[in-house]
Amino acid sequence: MQQTKFNQNLEIMLEDILVPIAVFAMTFGIVFIIFTARNRERMAMIEKGVNPQDFMKKSKPSVYSLLKWALLLVGLGFGLFIGSLLETYTQLPEEQAYFAATLFFGGLGLLTAFMISKKATNKE
């Protein structure tokens, strides 16, 4: 009995240690592959006589992108609040109330951001 309890404790300890190590290793591996692929691509461009800077995007943060993210997060927060109210004051199950309200108001925030940016680009 003691041996099996020891084995169970050892398995739990190994899971607690190995899972974070595996997540870190996978994250490191993905980042490493991305950077090495980008380096190989740039080296191939240099060998062909092409300047890699010509293909790099010079993007500046867009006001409309920030507006989109702001309204999405506001919508998600408002959706969580409404989901809490729905769960408290109606017969809806907790998961359905939160899920439906969060998606609805998050989508409403994105739609609002789209309408504002469309109106602003039409004025220009």
Side-chain angles (χ1 to χ4, degrees), residues 46-57:
I46 291 170
E47 286 176 2
K48 299 228 180 202
V50 178
N51 187 6
Q53 296 295 330
D54 294 341
F55 293 99
M56 295 195 138
K57 296 179 184 175

Side-chain angles (χ1 to χ4, degrees), residues 72-113:
L72 174 65
L73 293 175
V74 167
L76 291 176
F78 191 66
L80 288 172
F81 173 70
I82 297 297
S84 172
L85 291 177
L86 284 173
E87 186 250 330
T88 303
Y89 295 112
T90 65
Q91 296 296 321
L92 282 174
E94 179 182 1
E95 294 85 12
Q96 292 175 359
Y98 280 107
F99 191 71
T102 303
L103 287 180
F104 178 75
F105 285 104
L108 197 61
L110 287 175
L111 183 64
T112 305

Side-chain angles (χ1 to χ4, degrees), residues 3 13 17 23 36 59 102 112-113:
Q3 186 64 24
M13 257 183 20
I17 294 171
V23 169
T36 56
S59 64
T102 303
T112 305

Side-chain angles (χ1 to χ4, degrees), residues 6 14 18 31 37 50 58 62 82 109:
F6 176 76
L14 286 177
L18 290 178
V31 170
V50 178
K58 299 206 175 17
S62 171
I82 297 297

Side-chain angles (χ1 to χ4, degrees), residues 30-71:
I30 290 169
V31 170
F32 180 76
I33 288 172
I34 289 172
F35 279 110
T36 56
R38 187 168 43 168
N39 185 36
R40 271 189 254 132
E41 179 184 27
R42 288 181 182 170
M43 293 304 288
M45 292 170 96
I46 291 170
E47 286 176 2
K48 299 228 180 202
V50 178
N51 187 6
Q53 296 295 330
D54 294 341
F55 293 99
M56 295 195 138
K57 296 179 184 175
K58 299 206 175 17
S59 64
K60 54 184 176 184
S62 171
V63 175
Y64 302 118
S65 174
L66 294 175
L67 175 72
K68 176 181 67 173
W69 280 104
L71 287 175

